[in-house]
Amino acid sequence: MEASSLARNLLPSPMPELSFSSSLSPFPVRSRLRSSKSVQTTLQRTPVHAVAVNQETPQNSPQRLLKELAERKKAAFPKKRVPPKRFILKPPMDDAKLIDRFLKSPQLSLKSFPLLSSCLPSSRLNNADRTWIEEYLLEAKQALGYPLEPTEELGDDNPAKQFDTLLYLAFQHPSCERTNARHVRNGHSRLCFLGQYVLELAFAEFFLQKYPRESPAPMRERVFSMIGKRFLPKWIKAASLQNLVFPFEDMDRMIRKDREPPVKSVFWALFGAIYLCFGVPEVYRVLFEVFGMDPEDESCQPKLRRQLEDVDHVSVEFEDRKLSWQDVAAYKPPQDALFAHPRLFRACVPPGMHRFRGNIWDFECRPRVMQALGYPLPMNDRIPEITEARNIELGLGLQLCFLHPSKYKFEHPRFCLERLEYLGQKIQDLVMAERLLMKHLDAPGLWLQQKHRRMLLNKFCGRYLRDKHLHKFIIYGEPVQDSYEHNRRLRNPATTAVQQAIHGLSYAIYGKPDVRRLMFEVFDFEQIQPKPV
């Protein structure tokens, strides 16, 4: 009787809801129940009809803690998406199919234009590609100022025959719907990879000739204010191309991070296509006529800085005259010109360099430098005096390449390697980009960009010069001579600058083929030739 009355007092009638938040503590109940086995058996037989579900779980409840722990794990360690089985279990392509795919690829169709051929899509255009071309290509060609007739009707010896295909690829930026196709995605990224270096070199040549007394620092600022990422949407809108880049959205209402990357990608790829089909003069026309870029505009001016007084004369072509883009684009060197780019040479090598003829460096160091670089190159000149004059100018240019700014910078601002270094850096980038495009036909542009950066690191460029033992011929000023001799970290940027200045001089005198010779045969930028033990 005592046990049944105790159980009746502890457990109320089943009608009211049983709540865990009751003021009755569970511990005394547990101690009383443990004291009597009969009470436990009675409790087990007593059915529980209802449990409180309206109120929340207590703060220290194990169920609640386990639930919170599961939610935190879900947020901190999200479940990774497993790739489809078709990507995991896909068998490798056998050699026969791989050879057949490469032989049928349009990238191997143009043997006379290997660079242009390497930028074509890896497979032929399909119906979806033709649909875009029929709808939008005429509008793009009209905005850029090109004839509306299809370029496929041109002859095989004309690189402009592929312009329609390349122009289509140029507008297929990574955010559009057609970029899911592999041949379109890779074709656009490869054009974009090439176009950025084409633009950099075109502006470097233009500003070096337009401002023959300036140092490269303000020139770099001018280039950024013309083709910097934040300014490109303005030029795309000026040419009325924004509807082709964003056919379903209003470009003006988009935020910057959604607007600028596609515009930059299309802009670079567009000039890659123009360069492949029409050359650098057409690049200038589209830049300054179609997009309306004005180098004299206030927004394109560099910041004010203290300019060193230049007491030396410039070439007669630049005296009291600023060249326009038409002069640069339409210039053709005379038949008996000394150099491949005579005006560019005169813009980088001042006439006053002739005062250094016959000095100690000219007698002791110049022959050894020319022997290491393989100069002078054999040229078929009708007049022997032309060959002799070219070799003299080559020696003066080499002396300028090895002239560190610490030597004559303050007395003669242009008697140092800075302008040649600026030109050499741009032509070096373009030559390496063309080499990678022709060597890796199946690689996307992002992979090429990463490989390009790794191969042209500044520390590697200086190391190639030091491997040829040419760093010993650099002419330093007296204040930095001792510190540079005993500190390799100070000397490395100087050797890199000399390396790039040599490429700039080579481009101005002999042209792009000689830059390729220096990079891949003399200095071995690709590191494929065995090194002497």
Side-chain angles (χ1 to χ4, degrees):
M1 294 295 291
E2 293 177 0
S4 60
S5 62
L6 179 60
R8 198 178 295 113
N9 294 332
L10 289 175
L11 293 177
S13 61
M15 294 303 294
E17 293 181 352
L18 179 64
S19 175
F20 290 104
S21 60
S22 172
S23 58
L24 182 62
S25 175
F27 298 107
V29 175
R30 195 174 302 159
S31 61
R32 292 177 189 173
L33 293 178
R34 283 174 183 171
S35 62
S36 176
K37 293 183 180 180
S38 59
V39 174
Q40 292 179 1
T41 55
T42 308
L43 289 176
Q44 288 176 358
R45 293 173 183 174
T46 305
V48 179
H49 296 279
V51 178
V53 294
N54 296 333
Q55 300 185 8
E56 294 183 358
T57 313
Q59 193 72 24
N60 56 353
S61 173
Q63 290 83 359
R64 179 164 185 165
L65 293 176
L66 288 173
K67 186 177 179 181
E68 290 183 0
L69 183 61
E71 291 178 355
R72 289 186 183 182
K73 279 187 177 181
K74 190 181 297 183
F77 307 101
K79 191 175 181 181
K80 294 183 179 179
R81 295 179 60 186
V82 179
K85 290 183 179 180
R86 60 192 177 94
F87 291 133
I88 299 176
L89 304 177
K90 186 177 181 181
M93 187 178 295
D94 59 346
D95 294 341
K97 290 183 179 179
L98 192 63
I99 292 173
D100 185 63
R101 188 184 116 194
F102 270 103
L103 290 179
K104 290 183 178 179
S105 170
Q107 292 179 332
L108 296 180
S109 59
L110 304 179
K111 296 181 181 179
S112 56
F113 304 107
L115 180 62
L116 173 60
S117 181
S118 67
C119 293
L120 291 176
S122 56
S123 60
R124 302 194 180 279
L125 301 182
N126 52 32
N127 291 334
D129 303 325
R130 297 293 178 187
T131 302
W132 193 97
I133 291 176
E134 292 174 0
E135 290 185 7
Y136 299 107
L137 194 67
L138 292 181
E139 183 180 351
K141 295 175 75 171
Q142 185 176 11
L144 295 172
Y146 290 107
L148 303 183
E149 292 80 13
T151 59
E152 296 178 354
E153 301 174 358
L154 299 176
D156 293 336
D157 58 342
N158 192 346
K161 180 178 182 178
Q162 309 295 331
F163 185 62
D164 284 359
T165 302
L166 296 181
L167 192 60
Y168 160 68
L169 291 178
F171 283 95
Q172 309 309 308
H173 56 85
S175 303
C176 70
E177 54 186 11
R178 285 297 303 139
T179 195
N180 293 328
R182 180 174 173 273
H183 67 284
V184 175
R185 181 175 65 250
N186 285 2
H188 174 84
S189 62
R190 290 167 70 88
L191 277 180
C192 179
F193 166 67
L194 176 66
Q196 59 177 321
Y197 301 116
V198 170
L199 286 170
E200 291 278 353
L201 179 62
F203 274 111
E205 291 189 26
F206 173 63
F207 285 130
L208 281 170
Q209 298 176 54
K210 187 174 180 63
Y211 304 103
R213 296 179 183 270
E214 272 191 2
S215 64
M219 293 185 199
R220 294 178 190 273
E221 292 179 10
R222 293 177 192 273
V223 173
F224 176 76
S225 60
M226 300 282 277
I227 56 171
K229 183 172 67 173
R230 69 178 65 175
F231 307 106
L232 291 183
K234 177 179 69 173
W235 304 125
I236 287 289
K237 191 173 182 181
S240 302
L241 294 173
Q242 71 274 13
N243 292 331
L244 297 178
V245 183
F246 304 106
F248 307 111
E249 298 177 6
D250 186 2
M251 188 180 72
D252 296 332
R253 296 186 177 182
M254 300 173 65
I255 59 177
R256 278 185 58 185
K257 70 180 183 66
D258 294 338
R259 177 181 62 216
E260 290 176 357
V263 169
K264 180 186 72 172
S265 180
V266 169
F267 194 84
W268 285 356
L270 181 62
F271 282 97
I274 293 173
Y275 169 73
L276 289 172
C277 295
F278 302 107
V280 178
E282 186 67 15
V283 170
Y284 286 121
R285 184 195 72 83
V286 176
L287 280 173
F288 296 108
E289 279 191 359
V290 177
F291 291 102
M293 295 187 178
D294 183 12
E296 301 296 338
D297 190 69
E298 292 184 2
S299 61
C300 300
Q301 301 308 309
K303 62 183 179 182
L304 294 176
R305 50 170 55 83
R306 189 181 63 164
Q307 184 75 23
L308 295 172
E309 184 182 1
D310 198 344
V311 297
D312 300 297
H313 296 285
V314 295
S315 182
V316 180
E317 291 184 273
F318 310 120
E319 195 71 54
D320 300 329
R321 179 189 176 199
K322 275 190 177 181
L323 299 181
S324 63
W325 71 266
Q326 289 93 342
D327 298 328
V328 176
Y331 176 72
K332 293 183 179 180
Q335 187 176 5
D336 292 334
L338 288 179
F339 318 118
H341 304 278
R343 190 184 278 171
L344 194 58
F345 178 88
R346 289 299 172 202
C348 296
V349 182
M353 278 300 296
H354 278 270
R355 76 182 68 174
F356 293 113
R357 285 186 64 190
N359 61 4
I360 297 177
W361 195 95
D362 198 17
F363 275 109
E364 292 186 354
C365 303
R366 182 181 57 83
R368 297 163 68 183
V369 171
M370 294 182 72
Q371 182 182 4
L373 298 178
Y375 285 141
L377 297 182
M379 301 290 290
N380 298 324
D381 296 316
R382 294 185 296 104
I383 307 174
E385 287 77 7
I386 290 182
T387 306
E388 182 182 358
R390 182 188 297 111
N391 294 340
I392 291 174
E393 298 284 1
L394 173 63
L396 294 176
L398 284 175
Q399 187 167 350
L400 191 63
C401 289
F402 284 84
L403 201 58
H404 192 263
S406 61
K407 186 65 176 175
Y408 293 115
K409 176 72 173 175
F410 292 97
E411 296 86 2
H412 309 284
R414 286 180 296 124
F415 286 173
C416 64
L417 50 84
E418 285 185 338
R419 291 169 67 87
L420 281 174
E421 176 198 2
Y422 178 47
L423 175 63
Q425 181 186 5
K426 303 308 176 186
I427 185 61
Q428 172 180 294
D429 286 343
L430 182 60
V431 167
M432 180 60 78
E434 293 178 356
R435 177 84 165 193
L436 292 177
L437 282 168
M438 291 185 287
K439 191 174 182 179
H440 305 281
L441 293 179
D442 214 24
L446 180 60
W447 185 88
L448 293 174
Q449 181 74 50
Q450 294 171 351
K451 189 173 181 63
H452 185 278
R453 287 178 178 176
R454 286 195 302 266
M455 298 181 74
L456 292 184
L457 286 174
N458 284 343
K459 62 177 182 179
F460 292 157
C461 295
R463 192 185 71 189
Y464 302 146
L465 188 83
R466 294 192 295 273
D467 287 345
K468 292 292 181 180
H469 304 288
L470 295 177
H471 61 284
K472 300 179 289 186
F473 305 122
I474 302 178
I475 310 169
Y476 297 107
E478 288 78 5
V480 302
Q481 179 74 36
D482 296 335
S483 58
Y484 275 40
E485 280 184 356
H486 302 293
N487 192 325
R488 181 179 57 83
R489 290 192 174 184
L490 291 177
R491 189 174 64 241
N492 281 358
T495 55
T496 301
V498 171
Q499 171 76 60
Q500 294 172 346
I502 291 174
H503 291 156
L505 179 71
S506 168
Y507 176 66
I509 294 183
Y510 293 111
K512 195 188 296 183
D514 190 51
V515 181
R516 296 193 195 100
R517 181 188 70 87
L518 287 179
M519 289 180 64
F520 305 119
E521 296 179 18
V522 177
F523 293 113
D524 192 19
F525 268 61
E526 291 180 317
Q527 294 292 295
I528 57 175
Q529 300 176 9
K531 298 296 177 289
V533 180

